[in-house]
Structures are given as structure tokens and as C-alpha cells.
Amino acid sequence: MRKLLITTLALSAVASLVTAAEPLPSWNDSAPKKAIIEFVEKVTEEGSPDFVPPEERIAVFDNDGTLWPENPVPFQLAYALDTLKKDVEKKPELKKEPMVAAALEGDFEKLLAGPHHEGLLKILALTHAGMTTTEFDQSVKDWFATAEHPRFKQHYDQLTYQPMQEVLAYLRANGFKTFIVSGGGADFMRVWSERVYGIVPQQVVGSNTRTKYELRPSGPVLIKTMDQLFVDDKAGKPVGIHEFIGRRPIACFGNSDGDKEMLEYTTIDNSRPSFGLIVHHTDAVREYAYDAHPKSSGKLVKALKEAPKRGWSVVDMKNDWKQVFSTPPAE
Amino acid sequence: MRKLLITTLALSAVASLVTAAEPLPSWNDSAPKKAIIEFVEKVTEEGSPDFVPPEERIAVFDNDGTLWPENPVPFQLAYALDTLKKDVEKKPELKKEPMVAAALEGDFEKLLAGPHHEGLLKILALTHAGMTTTEFDQSVKDWFATAEHPRFKQHYDQLTYQPMQEVLAYLRANGFKTFIVSGGGADFMRVWSERVYGIVPQQVVGSNTRTKYELRPSGPVLIKTMDQLFVDDKAGKPVGIHEFIGRRPIACFGNSDGDKEMLEYTTIDNSRPSFGLIVHHTDAVREYAYDAHPKSSGKLVKALKEAPKRGWSVVDMKNDWKQVFSTPPAE
């Protein structure tokens, strides 16, 4: 216990140093950086009318397009396609399935057709269900250790945005709890969220389905199914926040119309001070430039239009960020 | 920030004092107390082969019958019945509904009949759905402020078990994260879990249904529905743990066969050291005595039989606890 206490003291000292240094060094001194710092200073100043106690300092972050890229396709889709290719090598008869064929041909329009995106669900069922959670975790780990981003030629998990890593660290140093709230699969993200973002599994909210518990001779397992699918996107994000966090956030970071409802839920009619921010992809040279017509996900029209009215900060990636990636790619 | 740092230091000092004092003062010096302390000392000793890093020190607690009583009925059922009575006063035509009539007559057998307990679901739909989460929270708050336990004549939330409150505090002082994993409704428990147990909403795992998001002129709301019901009991408990925590616990505290699978998931074939404990209700004088034939919930047969084989500690409430309730009832 004495050692734990010393560790706690040491961590407090580190936290103090982190905040003593200039926060957000990869951000230019433009409006979004100023707005983040002003908000954090306001809610952490004891005695101030805007003070928010630490247990209520909940910050939520979208992942794809907010903490790392979603181009040329969201990384989980790249995982699904690579896994599908490996599965087809082992079981060539899978190719007879029209949706598998569409996926292998990159025909995303076909996969996303229909009110419930039946094709995509089929691919997810093939690559994300029917195995134990342990088997799935291992498969995701193996993929991240080997797969490379087609443009940046790095492992996918090396491509986090340095300015956003700094926001995560800055908020945590100021007593915030940081959560991911993403349309991505919770099981997929929890494999690497702690290593990549310092976010523990219980602070990752994502899309999910039910698992099924079995006590096998080898021990307890949970089998992944496609039952009771929950899509943590758009109006599903406030639902996911309520279900998993059970408290309204006071800070929300997103990048697309998929984050609009979560931004609303955080900032409109909140009894506490609140903050919303949108990462606008404006940098085709260092990353990508898109909003109204993205090639895959990440459409940003409605939320961008709402931003001035709602007081949400909008990051112009090209002009507000000194550096984009945590590990600059050798492009 | 300086003030936050001082607060952190002060909290560390308090944690140190708490553990410096004799832990678990309301427990007699019998086997379960010794087992708890031995386990905690083992996993917190840095450099020991049994050391578990703080982020992996996940402890899960059943609620009804483990942290507070479940007699004469689980407190949430008492809430539902009281709420139903108030609703019937306002809308007498509700009495024509056979399941409402059964509930008002206390005919639990009828409510629990059928493979999906249709009667109980009907009552839950009437009392737990169709309103906003804010309205539901207020209704639960009002009930706890006024309703009294029929035998102990105290507010329900005053009836927590003092020895278990001490286990929660002892584990937290040793770097554990304490979670509730209960068959009770997550929305119901989160209203008071922080005040009563010091457990923040995001560390409460319970039964739930989906909510529905709406942006109303007055602001964003979530409407409670009965869609995609998840029952966090029996084999549902490991499922809930995976879904909400995303990591296997190393310590599990329960009291009934509803906790058997969660005890298995925690202790069987876990790569880390682990601990399981069952509270056996043996004290008809100070609380209740039941196991094989409980009057409402809390049947304990299978898990009790498994306990010696699995190495789970069994608390004999009558002999192992010096004091039962945190606020001793004036019975």
C-alpha cells in the first residue's frame, strides 16, 4: 500500500507538470485551442459558478475521423475485408455468397443498400460473430500488428492525431474522464484503446451485439453473435452514452453528422457548462479534405451548419494543427 | 489546478489512513474476512507474482441480497408496485388489465408465469417505460425519499449492509474499481448508487432496455422503452460484464444462484489471481434466513454447492458479521 501511495503521489506530480507546461503544443494559437483551454480552466476553478466536480467531468470522443482517419475506409472495415479475404482462401465456397463477392470487389454501394444495410451486416456476421471474444481479440491484435494503411504505409494504430492525443491528456490531467463514443464496434476498439489512447475498456462505448455465455471444460467463454445489434451512431450516440455512462457529458468531440446528436445532447440545455468541437477535414496534403461528399464515411453537412448557432468550435485541420499524426508518416 | 492537486494529495492521505486502520471492522475474525484481506494484500504487493496492476483490479458486486436486502421483495419491485398503485388512483381503468390486478393483489406467481414472465414485463412497461429518463429519475428519487421498508421502518436506501460497505471502501482504498452487476434496472440503480455506495453511474451494470433520443424544443430527451430488453442475471451477468466493463473481474461478490455464472466467469481459468464470495443469509433475527426456498428472489442452491469446489468464500451472516446494517434499524 505504501508503494501504491508513492505511485499515486508521483502520478499527481506528473499531472501537475503536464499542466504546468503549455497545453496542446501541436495546436496553433487560433480560436479552437483558446476555446478548449478557456473551457477547461472555467470548469476546474474551484469556487467559480462554472465549477464542475471531477466525477461530472465526462468528455466523449468520436473515434473514426476524430481521433484517427476514416479514409480510404474506416479501419474496422479494412479489418473486415482483410479477414474476409483470408476466410475465402480457406473456404472458397464463400465467394458464392453475393454480398461476399460484392465486398471482395469493393462494391460498397451494394453492401450499404437496403434499409438495414443487409450486405454489411452479412459481412460483419461472417467476420465478427460465431467465435469467442478471446478468438476475436486475437484476430484484431494480429491484424493491427501486420496490416498497413495503403497511403501512409504505417500500422493503422500509429495514425492517431497528435493534437487530439494532447486534448485527451490535457482533459485527464484536469480531472476529466475521457470516453470513446464511436459507431465502431466496442469489442474491436477495446483491443487497443488502452494502449493507443490510454482509454480503459469500460470507457469505450461502441456498436455491439449480445454475446452468449458458456462454461466449457476449458473455462468460461463468451461467444459473439449478431443478436440485438446496437448501432452507436447518430441518434444512437446519446442512447449509448445514457446506457453506458449514465450521465450527460460536458465536453464532446466529433467530426461528422454522425456526431450531431451527441453534440446536441452534450451542449443543449445542459445544466452544467458544456463544450462541443468538430474536426473539419481540410488538409488534403497532410491527411484528407472532405465534408459534403466523403468517399466513405464522415459526411459533415448538418452539424457544420449547426455549429455557429450552437457555439460548437470548428477545427480547420489545415490551419489549426501544427502537426497531424503522432508518428509523422514517411509518405 | 493547484487546488485539485492538493485535493488529490489529501485523498491519497485519507486512503492511506483508511488502510492503516484495521480493515473490515464490522466483520468477525473468521475465515471470510481473512480470505478477503489475504487476497487484497496478495494482488497489491508490487513485485509479487500475484501482483495485479490497478487498471485490472475490477471487483463486481451483485446488489439485491449482497449489498442490501431483497426481502420481503426486491426494492425495485416495491417501487414498481407503489408506482402502479399511484397510477391506478389516477387512471382507475388500469385495474381492468389482468396483470395489473394480479400485481395489486400481490399474486407474484401469476406475474412470473410464462417463459418470459409476461406479467412482470407488463408491470415494468407501465412503470418503467414511456417517460423520459429525467422523469423516471425524479420518480425514483421521490420514492426513496418517502417509502419505508415494511419491517425495518427505514427508508430503503438506509438499509445497506455495513460489512459490505466496508469491503467496497477497502477495495477502493487498494486501487480496485468497484462495479455493481445486478439484475436490477441500471436506470433505477444509477439514481442513488453514487450517494449510497460511492459508485458512479458508469460503474453500474444492470438490466436495461433501449431508450429513444429526441431533440424537443425544451432540449434533448431520452425516452424509456421496452425494446431490446437485456436481463442482467444468471448467464446474462458475464454478458453484461463483457459488454459494459470489457475485462474479466478479479473479485466477485454475490448471494444467489443468479450470481453463479458471474462467479464462474471471475474465478475459473482466469489468468490473474481471483476471488469469489457468497453472502449466505442465515440471520433471521437481524435480517432474514433463506437459501433453497426464498419467499421472493435469492434462491441459493447450486452456487452454494459449487462453492467448496471453486474455492468461493461463504459468509455466514449470523456468525461472520458483527453488525448487519449501516444504520441499525430501530426495530
Side-chain angles (χ1 to χ4, degrees):
Chain A
M1 182 60 205
R2 184 174 293 274
K3 279 190 188 163
L4 180 62
L5 180 63
I6 292 168
T7 310
T8 310
L9 293 178
L11 284 174
S12 301
V14 170
S16 173
L17 284 174
V18 167
T19 48
E22 178 65 23
L24 312 181
S26 299
W27 292 67
N28 283 317
D29 288 326
S30 39
K33 174 176 176 173
K34 284 180 188 157
I36 297 168
I37 293 174
E38 189 187 308
F39 173 72
V40 169
E41 289 184 345
K42 183 169 80 171
V43 299
T44 54
E45 193 192 336
E46 279 185 73
S48 141
D50 291 320
F51 179 75
V52 176
E55 63 275 16
E56 297 181 13
R57 291 181 205 155
I58 304 286
V60 291
F61 291 79
D62 170 59
N63 183 44
D64 298 309
T66 300
L67 297 178
W68 73 14
E70 56 192 326
N71 269 306
V73 294
F75 297 177
Q76 189 173 1
L77 182 54
Y79 164 78
L81 294 175
D82 285 353
T83 305
L84 195 65
K85 279 176 204 154
K86 272 171 54 185
D87 290 351
V88 167
E89 278 172 29
K90 278 181 244 162
K91 292 190 201 170
E93 68 273 19
L94 275 175
K95 270 189 280 192
K96 287 181 202 155
E97 163 65 52
M99 291 306 171
V100 171
L104 294 177
E105 286 158 18
D107 185 352
F108 298 126
E109 212 172 314
K110 190 163 180 182
L111 292 183
L112 294 171
H116 301 293
H117 312 313
E118 281 76 5
L120 185 61
L121 289 181
K122 180 80 201 175
I123 302 308
L124 288 177
L126 282 169
T127 54
H128 287 69
M131 72 286 282
T132 68
T133 53
T134 311
E135 287 161 355
F136 178 75
D137 288 0
Q138 192 58 51
S139 164
V140 174
K141 260 183 214 155
D142 293 347
W143 183 77
F144 273 97
T146 53
E148 274 194 356
H149 189 277
R151 173 174 163 197
F152 298 117
K153 309 294 179 204
Q154 302 230 39
H155 293 309
Y156 285 94
D157 53 11
Q158 294 178 294
L159 293 172
T160 62
Y161 300 140
Q162 177 60 20
M164 296 308 289
Q165 289 274 19
E166 291 168 3
V167 173
L168 287 170
Y170 176 56
L171 289 177
R172 289 195 288 251
N174 282 282
F176 278 76
K177 291 253 184 294
T178 53
F179 287 77
I180 291 177
V181 177
S182 165
D187 284 354
F188 181 78
M189 296 187 283
R190 284 168 171 178
V191 174
W192 41 261
S193 62
E194 197 164 10
R195 176 173 56 79
V196 172
Y197 299 124
I199 296 182
V200 289
Q202 66 263 31
Q203 287 173 210
V204 175
V205 180
S207 297
N208 67 36
T209 50
R210 301 289 181 222
T211 57
K212 195 176 164 300
Y213 174 78
E214 268 181 29
L215 181 56
R216 294 182 176 171
S218 60
V221 295
L222 290 162
I223 299 151
K224 286 175 67 66
T225 76
M226 286 297 286
D227 297 343
Q228 293 197 327
L229 173 68
F230 169 64
V231 180
D232 189 53
D233 196 30
K234 299 192 174 76
K237 290 206 173 192
V239 172
I241 290 170
H242 173 75
E243 198 163 311
F244 285 81
I245 309 178
R247 173 129 65 191
R248 284 180 76 176
I250 63 166
C252 176
F253 300 80
N255 79 300
S256 80
D257 288 348
D259 304 313
K260 181 174 156 276
E261 285 83 355
M262 162 163 95
L263 284 159
E264 292 169 0
Y265 186 59
T266 301
T267 62
I268 301 178
D269 193 38
N270 194 333
S271 58
R272 308 172 191 96
S274 62
F275 180 80
L277 182 145
I278 294 170
V279 175
H280 190 190
H281 291 259
T282 52
D283 195 334
V285 175
R286 294 184 301 176
E287 204 245 9
Y288 298 94
Y290 60 97
D291 46 31
H293 304 287
K295 285 198 178 150
S296 65
S297 62
K299 185 170 180 171
L300 174 65
V301 175
K302 288 186 222 166
L304 196 60
K305 201 179 149 198
E306 289 274 296
K309 185 170 98 187
R310 303 296 186 194
W312 301 334
S313 292
V314 177
V315 172
D316 174 347
M317 192 184 261
K318 187 174 171 181
N319 292 309
D320 292 332
W321 286 1
K322 289 184 194 166
Q323 177 183 334
V324 173
F325 293 111
S326 301
T327 321
E331 199 182 358
Chain B
M1 183 60 204
R2 184 175 292 275
K3 280 191 187 165
L4 180 63
L5 180 63
I6 292 168
T7 311
T8 310
L9 293 178
L11 284 173
S12 302
V14 170
S16 173
L17 284 174
V18 167
T19 49
E22 177 65 23
L24 311 181
S26 299
W27 291 68
N28 283 316
D29 289 324
S30 40
K33 174 176 176 173
K34 285 179 187 158
I36 297 168
I37 293 173
E38 190 187 307
F39 173 73
V40 170
E41 290 184 344
K42 183 169 79 173
V43 299
T44 53
E45 193 191 337
E46 279 185 72
S48 141
D50 291 321
F51 179 76
V52 177
E55 64 276 16
E56 297 181 14
R57 291 181 206 156
I58 304 286
V60 290
F61 291 80
D62 169 60
N63 182 43
D64 298 309
T66 298
L67 297 178
W68 73 13
E70 57 192 325
N71 269 305
V73 294
F75 297 176
Q76 190 173 1
L77 183 54
Y79 164 77
L81 294 176
D82 285 354
T83 304
L84 194 65
K85 279 176 202 155
K86 272 172 53 188
D87 291 349
V88 168
E89 278 171 29
K90 279 181 241 161
K91 291 191 201 170
E93 67 274 19
L94 276 175
K95 270 189 280 191
K96 287 181 203 156
E97 163 65 53
M99 289 307 170
V100 172
L104 295 176
E105 285 158 18
D107 186 352
F108 298 126
E109 212 171 314
K110 191 163 180 182
L111 292 183
L112 294 171
H116 301 293
H117 312 314
E118 282 76 6
L120 185 61
L121 289 181
K122 180 81 202 172
I123 301 309
L124 287 177
L126 283 169
T127 54
H128 287 68
M131 72 285 283
T132 67
T133 54
T134 311
E135 288 161 354
F136 179 75
D137 287 0
Q138 192 57 52
S139 164
V140 173
K141 260 184 213 152
D142 293 346
W143 183 77
F144 273 98
T146 53
E148 273 193 358
H149 188 278
R151 174 174 161 195
F152 298 118
K153 309 294 180 203
Q154 302 230 39
H155 292 311
Y156 285 94
D157 53 11
Q158 294 179 294
L159 293 171
T160 62
Y161 301 140
Q162 176 61 19
M164 295 308 291
Q165 289 273 19
E166 290 168 5
V167 172
L168 287 170
Y170 176 57
L171 290 176
R172 290 197 287 250
N174 282 282
F176 279 76
K177 291 253 185 295
T178 52
F179 287 78
I180 291 178
V181 177
S182 165
D187 284 354
F188 181 78
M189 295 188 285
R190 284 168 169 178
V191 174
W192 40 261
S193 63
E194 197 164 11
R195 177 173 55 80
V196 171
Y197 299 124
I199 296 182
V200 289
Q202 66 264 33
Q203 287 173 208
V204 174
V205 180
S207 297
N208 67 38
T209 51
R210 300 289 181 225
T211 57
K212 195 176 165 301
Y213 174 78
E214 268 181 28
L215 180 56
R216 295 183 176 171
S218 60
V221 295
L222 291 161
I223 299 153
K224 287 173 68 66
T225 76
M226 286 298 286
D227 296 345
Q228 293 197 327
L229 174 68
F230 169 64
V231 180
D232 188 54
D233 196 29
K234 300 193 175 73
K237 289 205 174 192
V239 172
I241 290 170
H242 173 74
E243 198 164 312
F244 285 81
I245 310 178
R247 173 128 67 190
R248 284 180 76 177
I250 63 166
C252 176
F253 300 79
N255 81 299
S256 79
D257 288 347
D259 304 314
K260 182 173 155 279
E261 285 83 355
M262 161 164 94
L263 284 158
E264 292 169 1
Y265 186 59
T266 302
T267 61
I268 300 178
D269 193 37
N270 194 331
S271 58
R272 308 172 191 97
S274 62
F275 180 81
L277 181 145
I278 294 170
V279 175
H280 189 190
H281 292 258
T282 52
D283 194 335
V285 174
R286 294 186 300 177
E287 204 246 8
Y288 297 94
Y290 60 97
D291 47 31
H293 304 288
K295 285 197 179 152
S296 65
S297 62
K299 187 169 178 172
L300 174 65
V301 175
K302 289 186 221 165
L304 196 60
K305 201 179 149 197
E306 289 274 297
K309 185 170 99 186
R310 302 297 186 195
W312 301 333
S313 291
V314 177
V315 172
D316 175 347
M317 192 184 260
K318 187 174 170 180
N319 292 308
D320 292 333
W321 286 0
K322 289 182 193 165
Q323 177 182 334
V324 173
F325 294 110
S326 301
T327 322
E331 200 183 357

